[in-house]
Amino acid sequence: MKVLMLGWEFPPFISGGLGTACYGLTRAMSRLGTQITFVLPRPVTSQYASHVKMAGPSASGKISASELFESGEFSNVEFRTIDSLIQPYQTDLSYDELLRQMGKSLGLKEDAIKELLIASKLGLSANYGENLYQEVQRYARLATLIARTEHFDVIHAHDWMTYPAGIAISAMTGKPLIVHIHSTEFDRSGEHVNQMVYDIERQGMHYATKVIAVSHLTKNIVVNRYAVSPDKVKVVYNAVERNGSFMDATQMAIKKHEKIVLFLGRITMQKGPEYFLAAAKKVLEVMDDVKFVMAGSGDMVRRTIEMAAEMGIGHKVLFTGFLHGDDVDKIFRMADLFVMPSVSEPFGLVPLEALRNDVPVIISKQSGVAEVLTHALKVDFWDINEIANKIIAVLRHPPLSTTLKEHGNFEVRKLNWDNSARQCLEIYSSTMQPAPV
Amino acid sequence: MASVCFYFQVHQPFRLRRYSVFDTDTNYFDDYKNAQICRKVAHKCYLPANRLMLDLIHKYEGRFKISYSLTGIIIEQLQAYAPEVLSTFHALAQTGCVEFLCETYYHSLSFLYSRQEFADQIRMHRNLIRDTFGQEPAVFRNTELIYHNDLAHFVKEMGFNGVLCEGADHILGYRSPNFIYHPPGVRSLKLLLKNYRLSDDIAFRFSNQDWAEWPLTAPKFANWVSAVNGNGHTVNLFMDYETLGEHQWEDTGIFEFLRHLPNEIFRHPDNNFKTPSEVIESYDAVGEIDAPHMVSWADIERDLSAWLGNAMQSNALHELYQMEKMVKQTGDPDIIRDWRKLQTSDHFYYMCTKWFADGDVHKYFNPYDSPYDSYINFMNVMDNLRSRCKQTAATLV
């Protein structure tokens, strides 16, 4: 089985759960002997680019996984990168920022960069630049070129930016297209959907032979909002990497005087940061020795900081910005509790990582991960009283925390990527069997 | 000789309402839901089952006999929400064919934590049964048939002459539950052991279509009982009363099964029905049962793990009984009553994580989505109760 996989992020170039999911899934598939070519739009600049051996920025650099990862676990994966500006969860602002950085790296003067920005603004739609649309199309064109040089049985496209590429390649080669929904426009934007993105998503889902949704929650959105036949949509849950890392004594919880309640994720409407703050305020009315840490970047950071100040709890809420690798582990070791008050969360990998790190979790009922976790506290994201009630309970009653950790950690071990990979392989096979006459 | 000894447990807890850490009032219990469940169970189980028992007692002219244990708090709830059920129990009490057993008033686990409280609740219950049904209970059953050597000694001191317990394999060994035994060193107290195979055939397997013996008919069951003749004295069928009509719905045929059972049992001339006191009267103990560890009738483990299996459960129980002195010193009847209602074992059963993922009998009548929610709720209520005690203590000084 050979798979052409179209993705948009991959560690270390990640800004959210999608890259982590692609990493886990491809690694498990590789272990199961599946050949994968992973096509990736590489961001132009990244402070992490120097940490890995990336081949030169040619339009279709070919890198085998062994050059990137030491483990040898990716022996069957080959990466193809396209120099593109596409980044996941993109907004105008970050696109501009990228343009600016690209301009600087090219040695352009400030005036020239400004011109570039103004030019790119012409004909903008509400949220996404025309340029972003062009980037998606450019990715599609280049991915199609790459596809010509590859042999594969199925095309597996992750999220909307890769769908035009997937459709083009499928049309060209006649190979079945499978689209994998990690999030939909309704999750990201609520009811204010971007029509262009919606159209691309819908087109991809309808063109695809099979649709993979990361939860039943997402499947329902796909069926109800995109009018896809339920038979065509399969649910494959995400999982969590088993590093098998038993923490040694030196890595045990960091000593501290105060309890720490953690929010970790993009600080954006979808993740419900304002509900986290509102609950924090409620908790602080009853308890004093608590700090609330908000780790992540996003378009609502500034507003969230202001909101904390307005509520008069600014001194109790810390913002760390986006955390990488070791810092994530460190913040988990410091945390007494992880809270995910997402308004809409197709799956939600972070709670699994928290539990793997022995941190109990409160998750919103409006999340896919709530379908697979039983040993988690579940709340409606809008019910700030209940969120606060549960935060206080975990912080006050150690036996609650202990029981959640013990059972949760055990439960997370049962969620492994090999199962998810196997389910994907079954779905591949089903698309290749001739329909019964 | 094979005597069939039926004992039915009648109990419903006072379920707590959703009580957040931000709540400050003292209305801990969900009166609406408790009334609703009580009435539902009354109509599906208690009323039809009581009528059936009355019919059978009249039909067999006193030869059909049964026993009940009604907790103090089900009697309180029946008085409030379904008094018609209580009058059918009165009618049963007057037939002379029905024995009422004694237990802790609040269906509590007090035996494990406070012997003083345990004794208080037994006395409360004994008085209640005397006042309600005009009987002096002589046989004791502890909450969930939790049993231990010490319990035998303790209730002997309180004047009982028999105790019901689970016929668990690990205390019986190769021996049969169909005889009467005595605890080590106390020959005058008799132990009635539940025949869990035959009891569970009715209570759990009756409607299970995957069971090889399904459908269970009265003649078939009576044959199993008659087979005991010659190697046993009594077949102790102990179960929740809610088995009739609730755990086994009416359409499974459970009521019809019971209606025909006495006739089938009487087909064998050596068979009869006896109440626990009559069994104790009729048969001698054949041996000693040593129970140095706690035994109960719950789950397959038949131990305490359903109420004390995780850190939350033991924490909640320990903290609750730690308050005993403080609660009693207030002398406030409302505080003491609330504290006692919190002792009902169901609250801790809801916190069980053993079978949580699978979902089973623990979910029945369970008002919570998860054991964690039940623990959080319980701890919030207990916190409030504690602060009430402190307030009262402050005013007393």
Side-chain angles (χ1 to χ4, degrees), chain A residues 160-186:
Chain A
W160 71 274
M161 286 193 178
T162 66
Y163 294 172
I167 292 170
I169 297 166
S170 178
M172 180 180 80
T173 59
K175 301 292 182 191
L177 170 68
I178 291 143
V179 298
H180 201 134
I181 321 288
H182 297 267
S183 96
T184 69
E185 184 57 13
F186 292 96

Side-chain angles (χ1 to χ4, degrees), chain B residues 56-57 60-65 97 266 271-274:
Chain B
L56 291 173
I57 287 167
Y60 295 99
E61 295 168 335
R63 289 192 298 147
F64 178 71
K65 291 167 183 175
C97 296
F266 288 135
N271 289 347
N272 58 29
F273 288 90
K274 281 188 194 299

Side-chain angles (χ1 to χ4, degrees), chain A residues 211-217 219 233-237 371 423 427:
Chain A
V211 176
I212 297 175
V214 291
S215 63
H216 286 281
L217 184 86
K219 177 174 174 171
V233 190
K234 304 287 170 205
V235 172
V236 176
Y237 289 119
E371 294 168 22
Q423 285 171 296
I427 293 168

Side-chain angles (χ1 to χ4, degrees), chain A residues 83-152:
Chain A
D83 225 7
S84 156
L85 289 180
I86 298 181
Q87 271 199 324
Y89 317 118
Q90 191 140 19
T91 63
D92 275 347
L93 193 70
S94 56
Y95 189 83
D96 283 358
E97 194 51 39
L98 276 175
L99 267 180
R100 193 186 293 277
Q101 285 177 14
M102 188 178 76
K104 273 189 189 152
S105 69
L106 291 172
L108 291 182
K109 287 188 181 146
E110 195 59 30
D111 293 352
I113 293 172
K114 265 186 193 150
E115 263 175 51
L116 190 70
L117 287 176
I118 291 163
S120 76
K121 292 265 191 237
L122 295 174
L124 288 188
S125 61
N127 281 314
Y128 290 91
E130 193 69 24
N131 287 333
L132 187 55
Y133 183 68
Q134 282 166 10
E135 283 300 324
V136 172
Q137 297 305 334
R138 197 175 76 89
Y139 173 81
R141 278 200 304 278
L142 291 173
T144 314
L145 286 178
I146 289 174
R148 279 192 186 156
T149 65
E150 298 283 336
H151 295 283
F152 50 87

